[in-house]
Amino acid sequence: MGLIHSFKNHLFISYAHIDNEAIAEGLKGWVDTLHERLAKRLPQLLGRQVKIWRDTKLAGDDVFNDVIVIELSKTAILLSVLTPRYIDSKACRSELDNFFRLAAQNVGIRVDEKHRVFKVVKTYLAREEHPPELRDLLGYEFYQEDPASGRVREFDHEIGPGAARDKRYWDKFEDLVWDIKELIKRLEGPPPGPPPDPPPENQPNPSPPEPSPSAATIYLAETTSDLSVERDNVKRELQQFGHIVLPDKALPLKAPALREAVREYLKGSQLSIHLIGEYYGIIPEMEPERSIVRLQQELAMERSDNGEFSRLIWMPSGLQPKDERQQKFIVDLQRSFSSHNGSDLLEGKLEDLKSIIKTKLTQKPKPVVSTQGDTDRIYLICDRQDVDAIKPLQKYLVERRYKVTLPLLDGSEEEVFQDHKETLLLCDAILVFQGLASERWLRMKLRDLVKLPGYGRKSPLLGKAVYISAPESQAKEEFETQEALIIKSYREFNPSSLDSFLAQINKAKGALQ
């Protein structure tokens, strides 16, 4: 019998009654509405009824009585609706104190590292104003800050006649109800007990149960307020697929403690995901200039990508940094990014990001196909705007009996990305062509050469070269890289310009024979 059967109430809603007063005639109170929706949605997710208790008296906000203590003693989960009035209310403080006291006397305030208190933040409160017991809990914030003005707007919980639903409210509500459902299911499981008796002599130990092959521990970095909705969206989808998403507590606001906490989270993660937005973000105490967003990214880079860990850094398409610090951070990130195990720096739509995350978590390295005795395959990488310019190179290589593959230029971002990675695995040599394409595009493609082991490639490339063509520019003249041979040819294509690249391929083939 699970721990849940020790309690009469699944959920106790603790709130200040002033926060349930309707702001207009004919509308329900905020807490009334939350209670009603929890009472309908939880049974839908669990497949059975739940018991939710709250004090519904209309007056005497600060009155605390024995009935409430009795109900708290019979409650599995406490849901606190934080507001300025909640913080000042002696009754709410007593509910919180008594729940913690009673929890310590029965099954504890945590079950399998999951907290039995849910913190719903209806109205903005600085974190240092939260009750000390709740400060480290991740809250369900039913508001959003406008980064430009600094003003906070609460989500609309009501649906008036002819009014559209506030999707932000419903997304946050689904996050809350899903997590409550998960804790109830955990409480319904068998309580922890003594270890099982050892098997009789000469009988082998039973094999431990296999973990779910799709489950992973993922560090989803905290981000700035302009991407909080997108982060919640990613987190919600990861959890619904059974993945463990960290951090599971609020990050410390002092830099030394923050670094220690993030390193610990990253240590047990297979993937870290970083959403980079328009704003630089909060700089923690005792840190001169780096924001929390930047610190998390640098700590993940410090973790290094290897066979057990990689990073995924995402920026929305058309990102326009709002201040010089963020602009510099993004430029530094683009210039210094490197990878040895499939880490990626991406720009695009949120749905494409989620597709790539899914691919990363499910794909297995493809076996390397032996090319011995086959026609050498050259992956001729170019931007869409350089397709016409590469035709003379393509024609010459084909005439020399090389099999030439061009990038996929049609399809979704995920399809293009996957085709690119698969071709990197199967080709024998790579020739990156830059004509009209930007230097930033060129650098992104060169980073892929560093990522090849992480993508699953086991054999070395026979040749790697960058072909820089017209129009001529100072940036092109000054361009240098240690990753590949550089060929600069600004005039009409001359076959001899490829001699050094083809000689590199032939030399590598001779060394393998």
Side-chain angles (χ1 to χ4, degrees):
M1 181 176 289
L3 295 173
I4 197 71
H5 298 289
S6 306
F7 304 102
K8 183 184 80 170
N9 305 316
H10 291 83
L11 194 66
F12 181 112
I13 300 177
S14 174
Y15 69 106
H17 288 269
I18 193 174
D19 296 315
N20 192 39
E21 293 182 2
I23 60 173
E25 188 177 349
L27 295 180
K28 291 183 179 179
W30 198 93
V31 182
D32 284 337
T33 305
L34 178 66
H35 186 161
E36 179 183 293
R37 290 169 179 168
L38 286 168
K40 291 180 179 178
R41 187 70 178 122
L42 276 170
Q44 290 175 348
L45 293 176
L46 287 164
R48 51 196 166 278
Q49 292 301 315
V50 296
K51 172 71 171 168
I52 302 175
W53 195 93
R54 70 183 171 102
D55 178 15
T56 57
K57 63 182 182 297
L58 299 178
D61 183 44
D62 286 333
V63 174
F64 191 80
N65 56 48
D66 292 340
V67 173
I68 292 177
V69 177
I70 293 170
E71 295 299 334
L72 282 168
S73 70
K74 300 175 180 177
T75 294
I77 300 167
L78 180 72
L79 188 152
S80 292
V81 181
L82 263 57
T83 64
R85 179 56 183 162
Y86 188 96
I87 302 303
D88 292 337
S89 167
K90 293 179 182 178
C92 294
R93 177 73 258 178
S94 294
E95 289 174 357
L96 201 56
D97 289 345
N98 274 277
F99 186 78
F100 273 78
R101 177 181 61 81
L102 293 164
Q105 295 172 5
N106 47 56
V107 299
I109 199 64
R110 289 179 175 272
V111 176
D112 295 337
E113 296 305 310
K114 294 297 182 182
H115 212 286
R116 289 172 55 202
V117 178
F118 283 77
K119 181 173 70 174
V120 169
V121 190
K122 173 187 179 293
T123 307
Y124 171 77
L125 287 165
R127 205 164 105 199
E128 56 268 22
E129 297 179 61
H130 293 196
E133 307 94 319
L134 306 184
R135 278 179 200 157
D136 290 339
L137 294 184
L138 292 177
Y140 299 81
E141 297 168 347
F142 283 79
Y143 60 81
Q144 188 172 9
E145 180 185 358
D146 179 356
S149 67
R151 293 185 176 182
V152 175
R153 305 288 185 189
E154 292 186 22
F155 300 155
D156 187 4
H157 74 291
E158 280 289 3
I159 307 172
R165 286 165 45 125
D166 187 338
K167 187 176 185 299
R168 299 169 303 171
Y169 173 92
W170 287 97
D171 284 346
K172 190 65 68 174
F173 173 79
E174 280 296 312
D175 290 341
L176 171 66
V177 75
W178 181 273
D179 291 343
I180 293 173
K181 180 266 297 184
E182 288 293 301
L183 181 52
I184 290 174
K185 288 181 69 175
R186 189 164 299 195
L187 288 166
E188 287 176 337
D197 294 331
E201 264 187 73
N202 303 322
Q203 184 175 327
N205 289 315
S207 300
E210 289 291 327
S212 169
S214 61
T217 300
I218 299 158
Y219 184 82
L220 179 58
E222 297 289 351
T223 188
T224 46
S225 55
D226 56 308
L227 290 181
S228 60
V229 172
E230 287 80 359
R231 183 185 182 278
D232 286 345
N233 197 316
V234 172
K235 179 181 178 182
R236 186 178 310 118
E237 195 156 307
L238 288 171
Q239 289 179 326
Q240 289 177 355
F241 277 101
H243 302 299
I244 300 169
V245 180
L246 302 174
D248 56 359
K249 298 178 184 176
L251 292 178
L253 294 179
K254 292 184 178 180
L258 184 145
R259 283 193 287 268
E260 183 181 351
V262 173
R263 284 190 180 108
E264 192 62 31
Y265 285 129
L266 289 168
K267 189 187 298 183
S269 301
Q270 288 84 60
L271 173 69
S272 69
I273 303 170
H274 307 260
L275 278 61
I276 310 299
E278 298 176 339
Y279 296 90
Y280 193 60
I282 297 171
I283 297 175
E285 295 178 31
M286 306 170 68
E287 167 58 43
E289 60 181 22
R290 290 175 296 178
S291 68
I292 291 176
V293 173
R294 183 161 195 161
L295 277 169
Q296 291 173 103
Q297 198 284 129
E298 291 180 1
L299 289 166
M301 184 169 61
E302 173 192 288
R303 163 85 160 82
S304 79
D305 51 352
N306 51 37
E308 299 176 351
F309 176 79
S310 61
R311 293 170 291 144
L312 179 55
I313 303 170
W314 175 82
M315 294 178 280
S317 299
L319 178 64
Q320 298 292 327
K322 295 298 184 185
D323 60 56
E324 291 183 5
R325 296 174 303 174
Q326 185 67 351
Q327 187 173 13
K328 182 179 184 302
F329 171 41
I330 291 172
V331 170
D332 290 347
L333 190 58
Q334 292 168 336
R335 286 179 175 173
S336 65
F337 182 84
S338 63
S339 168
H340 298 279
N341 190 52
S343 293
D344 288 299
L345 175 62
L346 307 165
E347 292 184 38
K349 299 176 183 176
L350 183 67
E351 291 306 313
D352 292 327
L353 167 67
K354 291 195 291 185
S355 296
I356 291 169
I357 293 171
K358 184 178 178 181
T359 300
K360 274 185 160 299
L361 294 174
T362 57
Q363 72 179 4
K364 295 181 179 178
K366 297 193 176 189
V368 177
V369 179
S370 172
T371 60
Q372 194 127 15
D374 291 345
T375 302
D376 296 325
R377 292 173 287 196
I378 297 177
Y379 185 16
L380 180 51
I381 303 174
C382 68
D383 191 37
R384 182 184 296 273
Q385 55 192 327
D386 285 324
V387 169
D388 290 335
I390 56 99
K391 287 181 179 177
L393 283 80
Q394 181 185 10
K395 180 181 178 183
Y396 173 73
L397 291 170
V398 170
E399 288 174 350
R400 293 287 302 270
R401 303 183 66 81
Y402 291 101
K403 184 176 180 180
V404 180
T405 303
L406 301 182
L408 178 67
L409 299 176
D410 296 319
S412 68
E413 186 166 340
E414 185 201 359
E415 291 170 336
V416 170
F417 178 73
Q418 278 303 113
D419 181 81
H420 175 62
K421 288 177 69 172
E422 290 176 7
T423 309
L424 288 171
L425 289 177
L426 296 174
C427 68
D428 300 305
I430 292 174
L431 180 60
V432 183
F433 181 94
Q434 183 204 20
L436 297 173
S438 66
E439 182 181 352
R440 179 182 169 196
W441 174 90
L442 175 59
R443 290 186 181 277
M444 288 180 68
K445 298 307 173 187
L446 286 175
R447 289 188 197 112
D448 286 335
L449 303 185
V450 181
K451 301 177 192 177
L452 286 174
Y455 289 156
R457 187 178 181 101
K458 305 298 182 184
S459 60
L461 289 165
L462 300 177
K464 300 180 289 184
V466 178
Y467 191 105
I468 299 178
S469 183
E472 189 172 356
S473 69
Q474 184 176 351
K476 288 181 177 179
E477 277 300 299
E478 295 175 351
F479 177 79
E480 294 181 0
T481 182
Q482 300 298 317
E483 297 298 333
L485 174 71
I486 299 176
I487 302 167
K488 295 180 181 178
S489 179
Y490 301 116
R491 298 184 180 179
E492 184 176 340
F493 172 66
N494 184 339
S496 64
S497 62
L498 291 179
D499 286 351
S500 57
F501 173 58
L502 300 181
Q504 185 185 60
I505 294 174
N506 291 330
K507 182 178 178 181
K509 286 179 67 177
L512 292 175
Q513 292 174 353

